């Protein structure tokens, strides 16, 4: 069921073990391990399940740990309400000089004041860039493509020619800035010829929801 959290499908969901809903706040937690380290500002995105009115998480506590160490408090986060299949977002900051290989998210409040995780998608986006990555080297290009992606996602359902043109322009400028040899062009030209579906970060997608995707080298909006 954990795979449901990253399949970009609001119909599939993740639910921690419970019985009759009798789970006290602060009981269930979700651990996320980084490929490298979590540090700086991190955004959290939680998508509400499409076909159920069950609890939506309102707040959670975050703790961090490194291999072989105990968890220590990082932040308390309140999460906005969301409609069915809607995405709620929040952010938290890891103290300067601190970094963690694992973060633990513990439910402290839901709409029915219970303590289990119940959601369709769970995503983390580091907002503080590693100084060695291309996005940090070219911050203006990264900011432009990030803004264009956010606007495109907001416009789903009423996308105009201007919206698509703005996204295309930001994407082209981003590629030119960071150098086509980084592999982004390789994804667009070589890999996508098999009709597989990818998001704009180059990750293969199995189930298409609302958003902007690349199919056979072309962008499509759902």
């Amino acid at each position: 069921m954990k795979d449901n959290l990253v399949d970009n499908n609001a119909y599939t969901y993740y639910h921690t073990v419970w019985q009759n809903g009798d789970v006290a706040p602060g009981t269930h937690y979700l651990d996320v391990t980084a490929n490298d380290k979590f540090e700086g500002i991190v955004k959290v995105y939680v998508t509400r399940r499409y076909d159920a009115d069950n609890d939506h998480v309102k707040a959670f506590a975050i703790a961090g740990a490194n291999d072989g160490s105990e968890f220590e408090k990082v932040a308390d986060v309140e999460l906005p309400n969301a409609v069915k299949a809607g995405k709620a977002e929040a952010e938290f900051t890891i103290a300067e000089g601190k970094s963690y290989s694992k973060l633990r998210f513990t439910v402290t409040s839901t709409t029915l004041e219970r303590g289990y995780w119940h959601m369709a998608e769970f995503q983390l986006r580091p907002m503080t860039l590693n100084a060695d990555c291309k996005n940090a080297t070219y911050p203006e290009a990264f900011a432009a493509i990030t803004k264009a992606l956010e606007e495109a996602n907001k416009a789903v359902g009423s996308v105009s020619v201007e919206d698509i043109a703005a996204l295309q322009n930001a994407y082209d400028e981003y590629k030119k800035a960071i150098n086509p040899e980084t592999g982004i062009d390789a994804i667009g030209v070589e890999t996508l010829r098999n009709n597989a579906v990818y998001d704009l970060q180059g990750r293969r997608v199995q189930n298409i929801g609302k958003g902007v995707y690349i199919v056979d080298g072309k962008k499509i909006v759902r």
Side-chain angles (χ1 to χ4, degrees):
M1 283 186 56
K2 289 183 179 179
D3 290 343
N4 292 344
L5 289 178
V6 292
D7 64 356
N8 200 33
N9 185 351
Y11 284 90
T12 62
Y13 63 93
Y14 172 73
H15 204 314
T16 50
V17 178
W18 64 285
Q19 187 173 12
N20 300 323
D22 298 326
V23 179
T27 302
H28 288 183
Y29 60 82
L30 177 69
D31 285 351
V32 181
T33 301
N35 290 328
D36 185 11
K37 291 282 189 179
F38 292 108
E39 59 185 359
I41 301 172
V42 181
K43 276 197 173 183
V44 185
Y45 301 89
V46 178
T47 301
R48 191 168 187 171
R49 182 178 169 187
Y50 181 86
D51 56 351
D53 290 320
N54 299 53
D55 280 358
H56 173 67
V57 175
K58 294 197 306 181
F60 48 85
I62 304 169
N66 291 298
D67 296 338
S69 65
E70 296 184 358
F71 282 91
E72 57 184 22
K73 184 68 173 292
V74 173
D76 289 305
V77 173
E78 292 186 0
L79 197 66
N81 196 13
V83 298
K84 291 182 180 180
K87 183 181 292 186
E89 66 177 80
E91 70 176 42
F92 62 94
T93 301
I94 296 173
E96 186 175 355
K98 292 279 189 177
S99 62
Y100 303 100
S101 60
K102 181 181 290 185
L103 292 178
R104 174 167 292 179
F105 299 82
T106 302
V107 179
T108 55
S109 179
T110 69
T111 49
L112 297 178
E113 294 305 330
R114 296 189 285 200
Y116 57 73
W117 279 106
H118 176 232
M119 54 197 166
E121 299 289 306
F122 184 85
Q123 301 168 316
L124 299 179
R125 178 186 293 178
M127 303 304 291
T128 301
L129 301 175
N130 184 305
D132 297 326
C133 77
K134 290 284 187 177
N135 289 336
T137 307
Y138 303 98
E140 292 182 1
F142 175 71
I145 189 64
T146 299
K147 181 178 179 180
L149 286 169
E150 290 176 349
E151 292 300 319
N153 283 322
K154 290 178 184 177
V156 169
S158 59
V159 180
S160 67
V161 174
E162 289 76 16
D163 293 328
I164 297 174
L167 179 58
Q168 180 69 61
N169 182 64
Y171 182 62
D172 291 342
E173 291 299 318
Y174 178 73
K175 287 195 298 181
K176 284 193 292 185
I178 68 172
N179 186 341
E181 297 302 319
T182 56
I184 290 180
D185 279 347
I187 292 173
V189 176
E190 302 295 336
T191 311
L192 297 181
R193 294 193 184 280
N194 60 7
N195 291 321
V197 180
Y198 293 79
D199 63 19
L200 290 180
Q201 284 73 49
R203 298 171 299 197
R204 187 164 181 171
V205 177
Q206 297 297 327
N207 298 289
I208 299 180
K210 292 183 178 181
V212 182
Y213 301 91
I214 302 173
V215 181
D216 197 20
K218 300 177 181 179
K219 295 182 184 65
I220 63 170
V221 179
R222 289 291 299 271

